[in-house]
Amino acid sequence: MSRRTPLVTVMVNAAYKAARDLIRDFGEVENLQVSQKGPADFVSAADHRAEKTLVAELGRARPRFGFLLEEGGAIAGEDSSNRWVVDPLDGTTNFLHGLPHFAISIGLERDGKPYAGVIYDPVRDELFWAENGAGAFLNNQRLRVSARRALPTALLATALPFVARPRCPNHGAIVHRLAGETSGVRRSGSAALDLAYVAAGRIDGFWGYALAPWDLAAGVAIVREAGGIVTDVTGGPDAMASGDVLVTNGHLHGLLREALARRDD
């Protein structure tokens, strides 16, 4: 068992409050699938509504902190050391299609670095959370990354790059090759949950290109507290800045980095 700090409690309470509306809206989206107009506008409204709830709850508890929001952009705070990095609905396309795999992601940057994170999957009622130096947890159970050391036994996940942002033009070839060299490659549609699953030992490694800070901030804090390693895809320290990220249990980091660097032409 674990005891949440006041900071994590603030984040958890905000996530729970936003999740109540998301779950209600998700039920409505499933009904809207049969409408001629489609649910896209409704989902956009749900996304903004959840973000508004999170900003209100986090701002009430820590009024001097700034924000970096997926929908609302950057909001400066009086406290320049602390900034909330928020994705109110990570996995929007899944949500849009009635696929129950999405999450609320709340990260806290302290002096520009991930310090704490909460990722909440409201469908499964799974709460992943961590704070620097305090460990990582799923609900109240301590998390540790997996112990796998060989690529053939590893299960990987990736985030396919948007067509408009082709940071890695041979991504498809890499996925095809690694699918044959490992136990498989998954693409879930929620980078936040992919990172949470690395922390939980469900996935052994994850990589992606051109990801946004709100995709990563909470998950990076959780993975590191669970014993994992986060770098950019070349092994450098600038994953949060570049968005080109490699996340593993640590044992596989060098192997996967080399595999991603290998040319397929």
Side-chain angles (χ1 to χ4, degrees):
M1 296 289 290
S2 63
R3 178 170 295 179
R4 297 172 192 155
T5 65
L7 177 67
V8 170
T9 298
V10 165
M11 300 164 76
V12 169
N13 289 342
Y16 281 160
K17 186 164 185 177
R20 288 198 291 268
D21 286 342
L22 274 187
I23 287 294
R24 182 201 63 210
D25 291 340
F26 184 63
E28 291 298 318
V29 165
E30 291 181 306
N31 294 330
L32 288 169
Q33 295 296 332
V34 298
S35 71
Q36 189 172 13
K37 182 180 180 182
D41 293 339
F42 181 85
V43 170
S44 178
D47 201 339
H48 283 84
R49 191 158 45 243
E51 183 171 281
K52 184 177 180 180
T53 297
L54 292 169
V55 169
E57 293 299 308
L58 295 170
R60 184 177 299 115
R62 296 291 188 276
R64 300 180 66 248
F65 289 12
F67 286 89
L68 180 62
L69 308 167
E70 182 186 22
E71 304 298 336
I75 302 173
E78 295 178 19
D79 181 348
S80 60
S81 295
N82 290 287
R83 181 170 73 163
W84 301 115
V85 184
V86 175
D87 189 343
L89 177 54
D90 185 72
T92 305
T93 301
N94 290 347
F95 191 100
L96 174 67
H97 288 271
L99 183 65
H101 189 78
F102 55 88
I104 295 167
S105 178
I106 306 170
L108 178 69
E109 285 183 345
R110 180 159 292 175
D111 298 323
K113 298 179 180 179
Y115 180 82
V118 165
I119 296 172
Y120 182 51
D121 177 346
V123 174
R124 299 179 182 86
D125 192 26
E126 290 192 327
L127 180 75
F128 302 86
W129 58 276
E131 185 174 348
N132 188 38
F137 299 85
L138 169 53
N139 297 328
N140 291 317
Q141 299 299 314
R142 185 70 179 258
L143 288 182
R144 294 296 301 175
V145 294
S146 72
R148 294 185 182 90
R149 297 174 177 268
L151 280 179
T153 65
L155 182 64
L156 306 178
T158 189
L160 296 182
F162 290 108
V163 174
R165 298 187 294 173
R167 186 72 61 84
C168 181
N170 65 333
H171 190 81
I174 294 172
V175 171
H176 184 266
R177 170 164 48 79
L178 283 173
E181 296 177 357
T182 66
S183 288
V185 178
R186 304 288 185 260
R187 197 269 183 173
S188 77
S190 170
L193 286 175
D194 287 336
L195 267 65
Y197 285 10
V198 172
R202 298 173 180 176
I203 293 172
D204 305 300
F206 167 86
W207 84 98
Y209 298 91
L211 296 172
W214 47 81
D215 295 320
L216 301 173
V220 167
I222 295 169
V223 167
R224 286 176 172 164
E225 284 299 308
I229 293 179
V230 181
T231 67
D232 66 25
V233 293
T234 66
D238 297 327
M240 287 291 296
S242 71
D244 299 344
V245 63
L246 173 61
V247 182
T248 74
N249 63 3
H251 304 300
L252 296 169
H253 210 81
L255 293 173
L256 189 52
R257 179 178 53 78
E258 291 171 4
L260 295 177
R262 198 185 319 154
R263 295 182 62 87
D264 291 288
D265 53 20

